[in-house]
Amino acid sequence: METNNRRDFLKKAALAGASALVAPSLFAANEEGRRESSPADMAGNLESRLIVPKNNGLKITGTFLDEISHDIPHQNWGEKEWDRDFQHMKRIGIDTVIMIRSGYRKFMTYPSPYLLKKGCYMPSVDLVDMYLRLAEKYKMKFYFGLYDSGRYWDTGDLSWEIEDNKYVIDEVWKMYGEKYKSFGGWYISGEISRATKGAIDAFHSMGKQCKDVSNGLPTFISPWIDGKKAIMGTDKLTKEDAVSVQQHEKEWNEIFDGIHDVVDACAFQDGHIDYDELDEFFTVNKKLADKYGMKCWTNAETLDRDMLIRFLPIKFDKLRMKLEAAKRAGYDKAITFEFSHFMSPQSAYLQAGHLYDRYREYFEIK
């Protein structure tokens, strides 16, 4: 008798506990007995109440693929994860993917016969082939980023990068360029900000070879502006000796004059200047590009340079202001560094997926 009573009590307690947990979360009845949405259902229909005009910036239509990096953690994706990421890119209108570099020092993205002989490490997967196949699948253009030996970073002389890339450009075109229609152009991967030693000759030499071997496919560069946030290798957030707009214009007028016949576009990185400096620098960049018949792109960085943690996804308002400035300046295209780490719903950073959602709300992308 006592055992049965205890069993009945436990059964009733369990049922009561389950109903207490389940009923409020699944449904709630109002006075008329109608079913109402759960909090989770209701949240699914909510959007941010923006108090700024929507769809008022230049949309991002290209992204770097940061598969060979030295300062951002690797996500260790396989083809399944990359395929899913291309789907996310496609959804927001990305039509161009740019492999940021085909190799850095001894690591590389494809089994280069030349670089293997020089002691570079054999990759486990041919990423160039995979990216080209995914680009074809999702109707995107793929830009091949050249090899970075690291010697420019060690010496400050960009001309060191010419020799290795003589071989890389030729072998890549034979291995992939003649095979895939998605091979749409070249990224000359040396990053500079000022009148760097050897820069004009290096950009011209590599740009000319890229165009010659591929029957004129487009080339582009993505330098940074030597602004107050160009603080590489320090523990500070800003520096005193930032370049003036006038000096920036003078130096880049000289560089563009020497490379415009073999470099089709320039995408200045936008993260090294402050947000109230965007219009002034962007206006100069567009004026110079127009003067030399080059396309003016922006590299709208989706990483945040305003904190000492390097690097985390950017605050949405910062990205919005940069894209709005690019639209005001009449830029031709916005690309980003870079979608997969800092904007993708499947990024290792939780904030990246939220940035993706805020971006879609702002540009009214369903």
Side-chain angles (χ1 to χ4, degrees):
M1 180 73 173
E2 186 176 343
T3 303
N4 289 338
N5 287 342
R6 186 164 63 249
R7 188 180 296 121
D8 290 343
F9 170 77
L10 292 171
K11 188 184 294 183
K12 289 176 182 177
L15 288 170
S19 63
L21 288 170
V22 173
S25 64
L26 289 181
F27 60 87
N30 61 16
E31 292 178 357
E32 297 176 8
R34 293 194 301 270
R35 182 192 183 281
E36 294 182 345
S37 299
S38 70
D41 289 339
M42 290 188 290
N45 296 323
L46 294 178
E47 282 195 1
S48 303
R49 298 185 181 184
L50 297 183
I51 57 174
V52 295
K54 289 186 176 182
N55 208 358
N56 198 36
L58 187 62
K59 285 183 179 177
I60 295 171
T61 56
T63 182
F64 283 102
L65 304 171
D66 186 43
E67 192 47 41
I68 294 287
S69 180
H70 60 95
D71 55 6
I72 296 174
H74 206 286
Q75 299 195 106
N76 292 308
W77 288 353
E79 187 155 347
K80 177 178 68 175
E81 290 84 6
W82 277 112
D83 188 283
R84 190 180 302 128
D85 225 47
F86 272 64
Q87 293 177 46
H88 292 312
M89 295 175 200
K90 186 75 174 178
R91 183 178 185 183
I92 62 168
I94 287 177
D95 58 22
T96 306
V97 290
I98 307 119
M99 189 172 67
I100 194 161
R101 53 185 69 87
S102 52
Y104 179 61
R105 298 189 188 267
K106 289 191 174 184
F107 285 94
M108 54 186 181
T109 56
Y110 74 102
S112 163
Y114 170 76
L115 294 174
L116 284 169
K117 289 178 184 176
K118 290 204 68 174
C120 289
Y121 306 134
M122 181 71 176
S124 57
V125 174
D126 186 337
L127 292 167
V128 176
D129 186 78
M130 182 191 72
Y131 289 143
L132 283 160
R133 286 187 286 104
L134 289 174
E136 288 204 351
K137 180 177 179 180
Y138 293 102
K139 295 180 173 56
M140 298 179 184
K141 288 297 182 185
F142 171 84
Y143 278 66
F144 180 88
L146 301 188
Y147 174 66
D148 183 346
S149 72
R151 297 183 77 179
Y152 157 60
W153 299 109
D154 296 337
T155 65
D157 185 349
L158 195 62
S159 61
W160 282 111
E161 303 306 324
I162 297 173
E163 185 64 22
D164 288 333
N165 279 296
K166 284 181 182 177
Y167 300 94
V168 169
I169 292 165
D170 281 347
E171 72 179 14
V172 161
W173 182 251
K174 290 174 184 173
M175 291 170 70
Y176 307 102
E178 295 175 351
K179 179 180 178 183
Y180 288 105
K181 292 180 181 178
S182 55
F183 197 113
W186 306 85
Y187 170 55
I188 306 171
S189 59
E191 294 180 37
I192 67 170
S193 63
R194 306 289 293 268
T196 301
K197 183 178 180 181
I200 292 176
D201 288 344
F203 283 151
H204 196 277
S205 175
M206 292 186 282
K208 184 177 188 307
Q209 186 180 352
C210 287
K211 294 184 81 66
D212 286 348
V213 77
S214 64
N215 196 29
L217 284 183
T219 62
F220 84 98
I221 59 173
S222 187
W224 78 89
I225 300 168
D226 196 23
K228 62 177 67 175
K229 290 189 274 187
I231 43 81
M232 281 192 307
T234 73
D235 59 356
K236 298 179 180 179
L237 289 174
T238 59
K239 66 177 185 178
E240 297 294 329
D241 57 339
V243 71
S244 67
V245 177
Q246 294 75 21
Q247 186 64 21
H248 172 78
E249 181 173 8
K250 178 178 181 294
E251 293 186 28
W252 280 95
N253 181 68
E254 181 182 346
I255 296 169
F256 280 7
D257 184 54
I259 67 173
H260 69 275
D261 58 323
V262 293
V263 175
D264 298 286
C266 180
F268 278 104
Q269 301 167 29
D270 67 4
H272 296 89
I273 55 176
D274 221 338
Y275 304 98
D276 55 8
E277 299 177 297
L278 291 167
D279 284 298
E280 199 170 10
F281 276 97
F282 281 16
T283 299
V284 164
N285 294 343
K286 184 66 166 71
K287 180 174 78 172
L288 287 173
D290 287 350
K291 176 180 177 180
Y292 289 102
M294 298 168 67
K295 294 292 185 183
C296 190
W297 297 0
T298 188
N299 181 353
E301 293 183 332
T302 35
L303 57 86
D304 200 325
R305 293 190 180 274
D306 298 330
M307 55 184 66
L308 287 173
I309 303 172
R310 301 176 187 161
F311 294 99
L312 295 174
I314 200 169
K315 175 183 171 70
F316 169 69
D317 271 335
K318 296 176 181 179
L319 177 60
R320 174 184 62 81
M321 287 190 287
K322 296 191 297 182
L323 294 175
E324 288 173 351
K327 184 175 182 179
R328 287 193 296 272
Y331 274 27
D332 299 296
K333 188 178 183 71
I335 62 175
T336 185
F337 182 87
E338 51 74 59
F339 180 88
S340 297
H341 278 96
F342 304 116
M343 201 173 176
S344 169
Q346 64 171 357
S347 166
Y349 300 114
L350 182 64
Q351 310 97 310
H354 297 319
L355 179 60
Y356 185 79
D357 291 339
R358 301 294 79 74
Y359 180 92
R360 285 176 47 225
E361 287 174 347
Y362 174 76
F363 282 109
E364 301 178 294
I365 299 170
K366 298 301 181 185

